[in-house]
Amino acid sequence: MNRRFSKVVLAASLVAAPLAVIANDAAPASATSLHAMTFAYDWPVPDMELIPVLVAKENGYFTKAGLNVSIKFPPNTSTTIKMLSTGSADVGLVTTADMVSAVVAKVPLKSIANYSMSNNWGLFTKPGTTIPLSQLKGKTIFSYDDNWTNTMLPFVLKKAGVTAQQVHVVSASNDVPLLLNGRVNFSTNTTNYEIPGIEAADKGKQPGEVLTGSALGVPNIPIWDYATSTSFAGKNGTYLKAFLSAVKQATKWAVANPTAAATLFDKAYPASGYTNAYNLSAWKLTVPLLTNAKGQYFVESDTQWSQLTSAMKAVKEIATVPTPSSIYTNAFQPTS
Amino acid sequence: MTAGEGNELSRQRRWRRVGALVLWSVTSLVVFIAAWQAVIAIFHPAPYVIPTPHDTYFAVTQNWSSIWPLAVGTFRETLYGFAAGAALGFFLAVAMYKVRIFRSLSYPFIIASQAIPIIAIAPILVLVIGFNIYPTIIIVAWIVFFPVTINTLDGFLNLDADLLNLTRVLGARRWRRFWFVELPGAVTPLFSGLKIGAAYAVTGAIIGEQADSSGSSLFQYQFAANNSSRTDLVYGLTIVMMAIGLLWFVLIVGLDHLATPWKHRPTSRRWRDRGKTASTPSLQNE
């Protein structure tokens, strides 16, 4: 009886083993066969600018591209650069100004694609209040004291015909409450964050004044970009192309389906602290920024970086001007 | 041994102790720098992750003209906040000691006040008070008052009951009992609380500067250095902040030394005995 039983077990395992191998080959690619990559966001908490990468993850674009991407959030806004440079993250979202500062400080990073393609940074007044730029003298302006704002503010002062000593620049952790309470006359931010922020804090009201672009005399250059370390780029070009290709597909989908994109964000991060209304409003304000005049996504240019580095040198944010080629590459851009 | 000779001996011992303290402090600094350099030599971290002590030193010295006024500003904020917190803590402790009902009512609130995250309060203070030095002073005082209150109150509550009864038997009035018995009995725990407060006061000032930068501040300067990947300057400014904290602690230790002479002198200070020896006639008559 025992000998017969063991013969049956041996026969069964001899049949089952090849079947298991065939079944495994026929199954769709599991997570273990995908190339693992880490994406570092530029903010400690998720918000709607994460939508393209999130859609690429949730809608399977990364999986189809052979990637298993995990998203990390830095402890503060200046840590993303360090995460990329130390290999804690493979690709990250950073501001172009921080990118330039890093390259000047000899941090081995490379920008591989623009996130946004234009400058939507500006000055905002509280709802019901309009203060023309000509009346900037003596006013209190809120600044997050980031590299981008420090670079743009001198353009504004020049346009308004005032000096830095004739305005009062203050910094704190959040501008909207200070603006609404009249502690500051102007806040500085980008349209896709400030407008929904004021709407959310003040019952749907719009800022009294929104001054951006040529009204402020600021250059029309992108604010955010995707970056990686030069060592990662040197060894993983194929994966970077796959990453950008997936994110481009996801971006196009999110642009075409903003409501679904905002809902997807809410489902992925229910404890983000942002309402669906905020996320939808903010994403809709982000959409026009994602393409250039030719309708292209991601493509970077020498001109944008030259303008930025010149501006940062002029306001002494950087001591030397790096060449555009040392800052960016379009080599990993998707072809379609 | 005369009183003068005793005082001279304790003075010499005191200077030897100070000398030993300085020597050990310098030694620990050297060990710290050596360990730092060893980490770099062994692990070869990138300079934008861990800069060398040499680069950090030069980042500070090259920017000293910018750093010094900011450090003075942070020290001033710490001074005002510490004074306010220490005064509040002391008077709260006295009130809680003297009035039992007040102690029962206020104790839970005092404990709960430290559970509130300062990071969350700071922006609210700026919103309510505005952009000036007062939010930072309040934050520093908030941090300092708690250890001062608790330690001082513990000192009062643990006084020798027999000694207090003796003062009552001898007819001492409340004010004299407080000044000559209760307060000296609570001075040592008071200074323990002040030392703890001193160690955390600079942290409070930096949190305040983070919430309210209406001008330049040490925090703002470090924030900008961090944004520009100037890690050597970030480390250097951190060391400057540590130095301010250490300076505060040493100041409080010095104040403690002056306020509690009985802990390190065998006799009371007699200024007229200075320079006199046992053969001095005035001392022989005592």
Side-chain angles (χ1 to χ4, degrees), chain B residues 19 22 26 68 73 127 157 161 168 173 230 245-246 277:
Chain B
V22 169
V26 169
W68 172 247
L127 203 59
L157 293 175
R168 289 188 188 99
R173 292 192 184 169
R230 286 291 314 276
L246 272 168
T277 62

Side-chain angles (χ1 to χ4, degrees), chain A residues 265-289:
Chain A
F265 178 89
D266 293 336
K267 275 194 186 147
Y269 299 105
S272 72
Y274 298 107
T275 62
N276 180 262
Y278 173 94
N279 290 328
L280 183 58
S281 172
W283 178 244
K284 283 181 174 174
L285 286 166
T286 306
V287 163
L289 312 170

